[in-house]
Amino acid sequence: MESYPIIESHGLIGDLQTAALIADDGTLDWFCAPRFDSPSLFAGLLDHKRGGYFRIAPDGAEDVRKEQLYLPGTPILITRFLTSGGVGEVIDFMPVAGDTPTDRHRLVRLINVVRGTIRFRVDCQPRFNYGRDRHEIEMYADGTVFRSPTLSMTVHRVRAADQPPDEVEIEHDGDGVRAFATFREGATGGFLVETGSGEPPRLIGPQEIRAMYEQTRDYWRAWLSGSCYRGRWREAVERSALTLKLLTYAPTGALIAAPTAGLPEQIGGKRNWDYRYAWIRDGSASVYALLGLGFTEEARRYLLWLNDRICEGAGRMTPLHHLYRVDGSTALDEELLDHLEGYRGSRPVRIGNAAADQLQLDIYGEALSAMHFADSYGLRSSYQAWLNTVKSIDWLCEHWDRPDEGIWETRGGRQEFTFGRLMSWVAVDRAIRLAQRYGVPGEIDRWSTERGRIYHQIMNQGYHPTRRAFVQHYDSDVLDAALLTMPSVGFIAPDDPMWQSTLRAMDAELVSDSLVYRYNPTSSPDGLPGNEGTFSMCTFWYVEALARSGRLNDALITFEKMLTYSTRLGLFAEEIGPTGDQLGNFPQAFSHLALIRAAMTLDQLMDAAPAPFRAPFETLVERDSPRP
């Protein structure tokens, strides 16, 4: 592995407790075990020399064409190599690990030649604990064991018992192993990577591996068949749903933001974060997507996880943390991995996340909004969870007027962020609605008073009369794409003149050929150097805001353009760079959550529209014309 594959060249596989990324050159360069937030075994994405990798590719072929696809309806990844000697495939998948936490995880790497003859080279170079731990190697006839002080990894060989032994050559290579294998048309072989196994390597036959493949395939197709989405963008929505499921930690129901750490928002820059944790904001947003698609059980599991966090926070100085580990713990101390060079030199590489100590008031709005929405689907909070929710709302009524770090987790000091006030209003409003609906305890009169105070403050201080727009915080005139959600949460009517002028201001300043920047860091310093790309989540919010504001044609072409920025596999990172490249941790849950919601909103409003839409070309012409 001599260079860094581009971020968008990767596919994601997983077993609902951890995940791995595989590039289209056959390189597995990101895998942590036994959980998403555990130390890495392979982290070549963050240092191609020290991070570790496991590559399977044709040996010495200079004319290889590479393609990747998912087996339809599944996260089983197929990497195809088209060479002058033949056509071969590497099929990667992880059998589902189940709902009980385990150290044992299996990752299957099958080699299949469908035409001709291909000689493959295999390089397995694990590096435990982000490359910080030494390991021992034990080589056997049927595989290899790599043993570190804290974790072992076994690589079993997959082949038929009658395959000639001289077809595969395996040798020790530094801190790993190298193998060469020749496969003719119709031949299948490969490897099973297993963590946490105390058994020596063994030969795994085609029948056993076929059973793993079929069980994995059938699990995912059965799960996806539960989707009730029949709208216009079924392929994109279903791939997004599969991605969200892959990013869910099954033992608790927690949703992580992304499976990676350290992938930069700007190549060579310092905006490199660890996203392998569960944010209240992301998880709560998933409730809309999951219930909208018909995945009630996944929404219920997340809400139980959220209720546990609410109950744990009762009586604390701050009731809710805004991010947690997947098991609900809060040990998230940020650490720099100075021995790693970072993706294409993007340093520092961080693990943990110092933003865990920030105050982010908007999370109460996201949590209560999710609870309120879920209630309409029959998913009610428990008695104890409601009593502790009441305590959280009482706390918020006393503290909503404090400066905070905001949704973007700025490191330039606290501000009176409009979005924090907006979502505080949402939290109190939804709590009032739930209390009135069921007659459950709650200081409704007090809550109503605070809801009115928040509303008037936002309208009087959050709207900048000269800019004719709602702004990021009260002491600035900077626009903020987070406020695109104002109509969708019901704070302001989408045809209100104050909102319409805000949307036009964002059109002019934050939108670049349908892509949306979250804000201008030059105008609003956030405590970090460098720039960033457009935020995919914000672009999908923009689609929804356009649609709700009566600009359905604009919303449609913006959404269709945004889909062209996805990877070949239909995945999105956090951001899109200036040349259309994926930036930031990958794939990003919030990008896919926002895609699903935008698609459902567009479907609903387009179905209700009184007349057919004009052709996209007319819309393009209109978008380039000046507005009155």
Side-chain angles (χ1 to χ4, degrees):
M1 182 177 175
E2 298 178 354
S3 61
Y4 292 95
I6 57 176
I7 293 172
E8 55 262 37
S9 72
H10 290 83
L12 175 73
I13 62 172
D15 66 1
L16 303 182
Q17 293 189 24
T18 186
L21 292 184
I22 293 120
D24 63 5
D25 66 353
T27 302
L28 190 166
D29 54 12
W30 184 259
F31 177 50
C32 300
R35 302 190 324 198
F36 295 111
D37 54 3
S38 298
S40 64
L41 285 79
F42 298 105
L45 260 181
L46 300 182
D47 193 309
H48 66 91
K49 294 179 180 178
R50 302 180 186 89
Y53 61 94
F54 185 177
R55 185 178 184 187
I56 303 175
D59 179 39
E62 302 296 332
D63 58 344
V64 177
R65 199 178 78 198
K66 302 168 295 185
E67 301 288 349
Q68 263 187 335
L69 70 152
Y70 278 120
L71 184 71
T74 79
I76 296 174
L77 184 66
I78 304 171
T79 304
R80 288 170 58 82
F81 299 98
L82 290 78
T83 76
S84 58
V87 178
E89 298 175 339
V90 176
I91 302 170
D92 289 290
F93 65 93
M94 296 182 69
V96 174
D99 294 344
T100 302
T102 178
D103 289 345
R104 188 184 182 195
H105 298 274
R106 295 171 296 168
L107 192 158
V108 178
R109 309 209 70 192
L110 289 181
I111 303 171
N112 180 41
V113 171
V114 297
R115 185 178 299 165
T117 300
I118 300 179
R119 176 178 165 88
F120 282 87
R121 172 172 172 165
V122 180
D123 292 284
C124 184
Q125 294 283 342
R127 299 291 185 269
F128 293 84
N129 189 16
Y130 310 105
R132 295 182 295 190
D133 290 353
R134 303 292 300 173
H135 62 268
E136 298 176 349
I137 302 175
E138 302 168 11
M139 297 184 68
Y140 298 80
D142 294 322
T144 307
V145 176
F146 300 89
R147 207 180 301 278
S148 81
T150 56
L151 188 67
S152 67
M153 184 185 84
T154 304
V155 181
H156 307 274
R157 286 182 60 190
V158 176
R159 68 173 175 86
D162 58 356
Q163 181 180 344
D166 60 352
E167 291 281 330
V168 179
E169 311 158 22
I170 300 178
E171 59 189 27
H172 191 281
D173 180 27
D175 290 324
V177 295
R178 178 191 300 128
F180 296 90
T182 300
F183 290 85
R184 295 176 179 84
E185 185 172 328
T188 298
F191 304 90
L192 169 64
V193 178
E194 187 174 28
T195 65
S197 172
E199 301 174 0
R202 61 187 178 88
L203 189 66
I204 298 178
Q207 226 173 2
E208 183 179 353
I209 213 71
R210 182 76 184 177
M212 289 184 194
Y213 173 86
E214 291 177 350
Q215 289 167 6
T216 304
R217 177 199 64 195
D218 294 348
Y219 171 88
W220 286 102
R221 286 185 171 170
W223 179 81
L224 191 59
S225 69
S227 171
C228 62
Y229 181 79
R230 299 296 182 269
R232 295 165 175 82
W233 297 281
R234 187 168 174 178
E235 184 177 355
V237 167
E238 289 188 346
R239 182 51 56 191
S240 292
L242 286 165
T243 302
L244 294 177
K245 180 71 170 175
L246 282 170
L247 300 183
T248 302
Y249 184 65
T252 64
L255 175 77
I256 63 168
T260 57
L263 292 182
E265 297 176 14
Q266 181 184 28
I267 302 299
K270 298 181 181 298
R271 298 168 182 262
N272 318 313
W273 315 112
D274 188 349
Y275 276 10
R276 299 170 298 154
Y277 310 115
W279 269 256
I280 293 291
R281 185 181 300 113
D282 304 43
S284 297
S286 75
V287 172
Y288 289 88
L290 293 168
L291 290 177
L293 296 178
F295 296 115
T296 305
E297 178 59 21
E298 282 70 22
R300 186 188 69 82
R301 293 290 307 280
Y302 170 74
L303 289 167
L304 289 174
W305 183 86
L306 175 62
N307 286 340
D308 287 345
R309 306 291 79 75
I310 291 173
C311 291
E312 289 170 359
R316 278 203 311 241
M317 185 175 296
T318 304
L320 276 178
H321 294 281
H322 66 278
L323 75 151
Y324 299 82
R325 289 190 177 272
V326 291
D327 61 359
S329 64
T330 56
L332 288 157
D333 293 342
E334 192 169 293
E335 182 180 355
L336 302 184
L337 300 181
D338 291 328
H339 64 289
L340 299 180
E341 73 171 14
Y343 178 79
R344 299 192 174 186
S346 303
R347 302 182 70 182
V349 173
R350 298 178 176 89
I351 55 172
N353 202 309
D357 297 326
Q358 292 184 349
L359 177 66
Q360 298 180 20
L361 293 170
D362 66 283
I363 62 170
Y364 297 93
E366 277 103 12
L368 265 293
S369 185
M371 293 168 61
H372 178 262
F373 184 75
D375 182 81
S376 65
Y377 282 78
L379 299 178
R380 288 188 63 180
S381 298
S382 67
Y383 167 72
Q384 195 61 48
W386 174 254
L387 292 183
N388 287 300
T389 299
V390 168
K391 294 177 183 177
S392 295
I393 297 301
D394 289 340
W395 178 90
L396 187 63
C397 285
E398 296 177 5
H399 296 90
W400 65 264
D401 204 14
R402 294 169 56 186
D404 70 341
E405 277 88 2
I407 180 176
W408 306 128
E409 302 183 345
T410 59
R411 300 194 177 191
R414 294 181 176 180
Q415 299 287 351
E416 294 177 312
F417 285 107
T418 305
F419 185 75
R421 305 299 201 273
L422 170 70
M423 296 310 293
S424 294
W425 177 89
V426 170
V428 179
D429 176 75
R430 301 318 190 255
I432 292 170
R433 296 185 189 207
L434 286 169
Q436 290 175 333
R437 182 178 297 170
Y438 296 111
V440 291
E443 296 187 48
I444 295 178
D445 290 342
R446 180 194 180 199
W447 295 353
S448 297
T449 298
E450 292 304 315
R451 178 177 62 178
R453 287 185 61 209
I454 301 170
Y455 180 85
H456 287 299
Q457 187 186 96
I458 293 173
M459 299 303 283
N460 293 327
Q461 298 183 55
Y463 186 82
H464 196 286
T466 305
R467 294 297 310 269
R468 298 185 63 199
F470 290 98
V471 291
Q472 186 175 67
H473 58 84
Y474 297 165
D475 293 329
S476 77
D477 62 356
V478 174
L479 302 179
D480 189 335
L483 299 178
L484 286 165
T485 60
M486 294 182 84
S488 66
V489 300
F491 181 84
I492 193 168
D495 60 354
D496 188 294
M498 294 173 72
W499 171 249
Q500 289 286 330
S501 61
T502 298
L503 189 55
R504 288 193 295 271
M506 291 189 184
D507 287 340
E509 188 168 310
L510 297 184
V511 180
S512 172
D513 185 39
S514 80
L515 299 176
V516 180
Y517 292 93
R518 55 180 182 167
Y519 59 88
N520 183 348
T522 303
S523 301
S524 178
D526 54 15
L528 293 163
N531 294 311
E532 58 192 20
T534 57
F535 262 59
S536 297
M537 170 180 68
C538 295
T539 302
F540 290 121
W541 284 352
Y542 180 57
V543 169
E544 188 172 354
L546 288 171
R548 293 182 182 276
S549 300
R551 293 166 54 184
L552 269 173
N553 283 300
D554 287 350
L556 177 60
I557 192 63
T558 299
F559 188 71
E560 291 286 359
K561 280 186 174 182
M562 185 57 182
L563 293 182
T564 69
Y565 287 101
S566 77
T567 72
R568 288 178 295 177
L569 297 173
L571 304 179
F572 284 93
E574 183 177 32
E575 302 180 21
I576 305 294
T579 58
D581 47 324
Q582 301 282 333
L583 292 175
N585 285 305
F586 177 84
Q588 181 85 357
F590 226 139
S591 299
H592 289 277
L593 287 167
L595 182 156
I596 292 170
R597 180 157 175 165
M600 291 193 295
T601 299
L602 272 177
D603 279 321
Q604 179 184 8
L605 295 177
M606 289 171 68
D607 289 344
F613 291 104
R614 290 165 288 179
F617 177 74
E618 293 181 68
T619 307
L620 282 169
V621 173
E622 290 173 3
R623 289 294 299 273
D624 291 336
S625 303
R627 291 195 185 88

